[in-house]
Structures are given as structure tokens and as C-alpha cells.
Amino acid sequence: MPSRERVETFLKEVVEGSHVTAIADFYHDDATMQENLGVPRRGREALMAREQSVLERIQKMYTHPVQIFLVDGDNVAIRWTFDRIDKDGTVRRLEEVALQQWRGDRIAKEQFFYDTATAWGLVGPDGKVVQS
């Protein structure tokens, strides 16, 4: 079971932009990640490689500071907001909830939930999503 402080350290690392390092530091060797009801990706090395390949295709991933997260024993829920800045400067936003199952002080299983119809909507100059 993770301590609240351990989860906060994980959140801080992701918000600081260390997405691949966070996987190395906080996920089990046999961890899984799943997008909505898609097929889970398996293994920390595979998760890190996938994250790195996503980041290489864009200019930057900005992770907003987390305002809401819950820790209940081995279960953690996080409300994330990400702005993906494409190489042409276009900003797209994703709002998602991640449900995690921790084993000890590392993540064993993670599933992301988001509305695919509005995922990665364009963000206007006022910071609001203007279209999908």
C-alpha cells in the first residue's frame, strides 16, 4: 500500500515532465497500462518505450498540477489534465481519470478513462477547449 507522500512524489515527477522516469521509478517490472477498454500494455520496459515514442512525436507534453487524487489502500485515483503541444505549436488537451492498483510502493496496474469523442481537443488562446 502506498503512502500518501509516495503518491504525491509520483504526481510531482509526472507534473515536472519526467514521464518516462516516473514509469521507471514507480511501476513494477510486470506493470500494465490500459487506455479505456483497450488491450493492456505489459511490462515496465514496454511502457517506458511507448511513452518515449509518444513524446518524440510531439514538441512537449505539459501536465497540469493535479488538483484531485484519492488514495484508498492499494487503490489510487487521479484526475489528470494534459496539454499536448504538437511540433507545429498546436495545443490539444486531454482530461482523464487514472485508476491505479499499487503493490507495495509501486504501481502494478493502471487504467485510463477519458471521453474519446473529446480527447485531445484544440485549446484556444484563453486556455479553453474550442473543438475536438
Side-chain angles (χ1 to χ4, degrees):
M1 170 172 44
S3 67
R4 185 171 182 85
E5 292 76 22
R6 176 78 171 157
V7 174
E8 288 172 337
T9 302
F10 166 72
L11 298 175
K12 183 177 187 276
E13 197 162 305
V14 175
V15 167
E16 289 175 350
S18 301
H19 298 261
V20 177
T21 303
I23 295 171
D25 292 346
F26 289 92
Y27 289 69
H28 279 280
D29 286 339
D30 61 347
T32 63
M33 272 187 194
Q34 182 177 359
E35 306 290 330
N36 283 327
L37 298 177
V39 176
R41 299 182 294 279
R42 295 189 180 281
R44 182 172 58 208
E45 293 300 320
L47 302 179
M48 290 168 57
R50 169 88 181 340
E51 192 71 17
Q52 185 63 45
S53 77
V54 167
L55 294 172
E56 287 171 356
R57 292 192 308 262
I58 63 173
Q59 184 183 127
K60 179 180 168 108
M61 183 73 72
Y62 173 73
T63 307
H64 291 255
V66 173
Q67 302 298 314
I68 300 170
F69 73 99
L70 305 169
V71 179
D72 183 17
D74 289 332
N75 298 299
V76 173
I78 305 163
R79 182 174 185 260
W80 293 109
T81 302
F82 299 102
D83 286 348
R84 180 184 77 200
I85 304 165
D86 294 332
K87 291 194 176 189
D88 67 1
T90 302
V91 180
R92 298 179 183 277
R93 181 161 296 158
L94 176 68
E95 302 272 351
E96 75 177 10
V97 173
L99 297 182
Q100 301 172 333
Q101 290 179 355
W102 289 59
R103 204 167 59 229
D105 67 349
R106 289 183 173 263
I107 300 162
K109 180 179 178 183
E110 183 169 44
Q111 188 171 4
F112 305 108
F113 295 92
Y114 48 87
D115 177 10
T116 57
T118 60
W120 299 117
L122 292 174
V123 177
D126 61 356
K128 296 184 182 195
V129 175
V130 292
Q131 73 183 52
S132 300

